[in-house]
């Protein structure tokens, strides 16, 4: 069936207006070596059309974000902490915004301290990193990552990691999906969510989700018409509890495009509430 019109939505990847592109993406531009990437406004510009870069300009960032969320029935959004507007929004609207602290594990103890600080001050429910985007890059099963996983288990928060071939033109090796196997083996208590698709290894991601109870997949950075068939089939069969909705607004996609295309995703009836809301609530421990 089509997406139910009255279903609440928890978006695992949403941001406030992104108006300073250099501050947001400059490190990835520097990491790329090809000349075209040096001129990109957005690191994966070649993959996306109609990116809403100017959305929210001259508006209060929290107000305009809530307005857009209400328009598209997004009840709660996971947002990155560290920007003043994000921290303010989490404190003032805890029922609408949940924190995700992004860290660079190259600074091992700095990352660990930052996670604990964000958990204490903002009650963050996830810690995340971009393995291929860190400088230097860090494979997800590298030694620098293990303190991050251990701290997440200790604090009972989830971890989000980009997996698969990255959009920015940097090497993919740190995000090869087979690396998840060792991490899940070493941290059986960890709740680990893969971001950005796991392509071209979606079938392997499904196999590993069947194997490891704490491994999950979210649809970030994919317009619904491009959701991988392997993921849709898995959600409709044995994986209804493992697949979560995440958008990419305003980083690369508009909520209008996402929600319009969502009506054509062939999820079965029982999958929709889990995909849109329930699975993410469990992963983030929002019912506790």
């Amino acid at each position: 069936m089509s997406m139910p019109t009255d279903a609440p939505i928890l978006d695992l990847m949403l941001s406030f207006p992104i108006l300073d592109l250099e501050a947001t993406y400059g490190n990835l531009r520097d990491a790329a070596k090809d000349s075209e990437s040096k001129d990109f406004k957005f690191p994966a510009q070649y993959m996306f059309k109609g990116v809403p870069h100017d959305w929210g300009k001259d508006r209060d960032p929290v107000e305009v974000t809530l307005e857009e969320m209400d328009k598209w029935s997004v009840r709660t959004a996971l947002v990155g902490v560290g920007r003043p507007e994000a921290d303010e929004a989490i404190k003032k609207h805890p029922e609408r915004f949940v924190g995700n602290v992004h860290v660079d594990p190259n600074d091992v103890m700095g990352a660990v301290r930052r996670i604990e600080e964000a958990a204490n001050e903002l009650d963050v429910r996830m810690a995340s990193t971009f393995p291929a985007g860190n400088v230097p890059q860090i494979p997800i099963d590298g030694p620098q990552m293990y303190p991050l996983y251990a701290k997440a288990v200790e604090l009972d928060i989830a971890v989000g990691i980009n997996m698969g071939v990255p959009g920015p033109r940097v090497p993919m090796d740190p995000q090869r999906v087979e690396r998840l196997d060792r991490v899940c083996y070493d941290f059986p208590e960890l709740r680990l969510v893969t971001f950005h698709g796991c392509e071209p290894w979606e079938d392997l991601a499904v196999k590993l989700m069947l194997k490891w109870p704490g491994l999950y997949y979210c649809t970030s950075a994919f317009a619904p018409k491009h959701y991988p068939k392997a993921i849709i089939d898995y959600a409709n069969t044995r994986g209804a509890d493992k697949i979560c909705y995440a958008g990419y607004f305003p980083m690369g996609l508009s909520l209008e495009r996402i929600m319009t295309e969502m009506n054509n995703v062939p999820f079965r009836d029982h999958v929709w509430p889990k995909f849109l809301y329930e699975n993410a609530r469990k992963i983030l421990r929002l019912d506790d």
Side-chain angles (χ1 to χ4, degrees), residues 260-273:
T260 301
E261 290 186 11
M262 195 80 81
N263 288 317
N264 296 318
V265 176
F267 283 141
R268 294 177 177 173
D269 290 1
H270 72 286
V271 174
W272 281 111

Side-chain angles (χ1 to χ4, degrees), residues 25-285:
Y25 301 123
N27 63 319
L28 287 171
R29 187 181 296 110
D30 292 342
K33 292 188 175 182
D34 65 292
S35 59
E36 187 178 36
S37 291
K38 300 295 185 184
D39 295 328
F40 282 165
K41 294 173 64 177
F42 168 54
Q45 185 172 312
Y46 67 96
M47 297 177 65
F48 293 87
K49 296 179 180 179
V51 179
H53 287 307
D54 291 330
W55 171 77
K57 188 176 182 180
D58 301 324
R59 292 283 308 277
D60 177 85
V62 178
E63 178 183 295
V64 73
T65 301
L66 285 169
E67 183 179 289
E68 195 71 8
M69 289 167 63
D70 289 342
K71 181 178 179 181
W72 299 104
S73 301
V74 177
R75 178 181 293 180
T76 308
L78 185 72
V79 296
V81 303
R83 293 171 61 183
E85 60 268 34
D87 297 358
E88 174 192 358
I90 290 168
K91 292 174 181 177
K92 289 187 175 181
H93 306 279
E95 75 286 356
R96 304 301 303 275
F97 298 105
V98 181
N100 170 21
V101 56
H102 188 85
V103 296
D104 180 354
N106 279 294
D107 179 4
V108 177
M109 288 310 302
V112 169
R113 293 186 182 109
R114 176 63 183 133
I115 294 169
E116 183 136 31
E117 175 188 71
N120 291 335
E121 295 181 2
L122 295 167
D123 193 26
V124 298
R125 300 304 177 97
M126 179 179 283
S128 65
T129 194
F130 178 9
N134 289 319
V135 183
Q137 293 184 322
I138 304 175
I140 69 160
D141 52 354
Q144 304 97 318
M145 295 290 291
Y146 272 49
L148 183 161
Y149 302 139
K151 179 54 67 172
V153 170
E154 178 186 322
L155 296 174
D156 195 25
I157 63 175
V159 167
I161 299 184
N162 292 25
M163 294 301 302
V165 175
R169 289 170 176 162
V170 293
M172 69 184 185
D173 186 64
Q175 298 182 178
R176 298 184 69 91
V177 169
E178 64 262 31
R179 293 182 180 274
L180 290 165
D181 193 50
R182 182 73 206 195
V183 175
C184 292
Y185 173 75
D186 285 338
F187 293 91
E189 301 168 68
L190 182 65
R191 300 189 304 284
L192 183 58
V193 182
T194 66
F195 285 93
H196 287 23
C198 295
E199 284 191 327
W201 303 290
E202 311 97 301
D203 289 326
L204 178 55
V206 167
K207 186 69 174 178
L208 291 174
M209 281 188 280
L210 284 167
K211 179 180 181 181
W212 298 112
L215 183 61
Y216 301 86
Y217 178 105
C218 77
T219 59
S220 64
F222 276 63
K225 72 177 183 180
H226 296 305
Y227 287 175
K229 183 178 184 299
I231 297 303
I232 294 174
D233 290 347
Y234 179 54
N236 281 335
T237 53
R238 300 176 66 183
D241 295 328
K242 289 298 197 89
I243 309 300
C244 307
Y245 164 68
Y248 201 40
F249 172 73
M251 295 79 83
L253 298 166
S254 68
L255 283 179
E256 179 179 14
R257 178 181 178 185
I258 293 169
M259 297 307 168
T260 301
E261 290 186 11
M262 195 80 81
N263 288 317
N264 296 318
V265 176
F267 283 141
R268 294 177 177 173
D269 290 1
H270 72 286
V271 174
W272 281 111
K274 293 174 180 287
F275 169 71
L276 292 173
Y277 193 68
E278 294 173 8
N279 292 344
R281 284 192 66 84
K282 292 177 183 177
I283 291 167
L284 299 178
R285 296 287 196 260

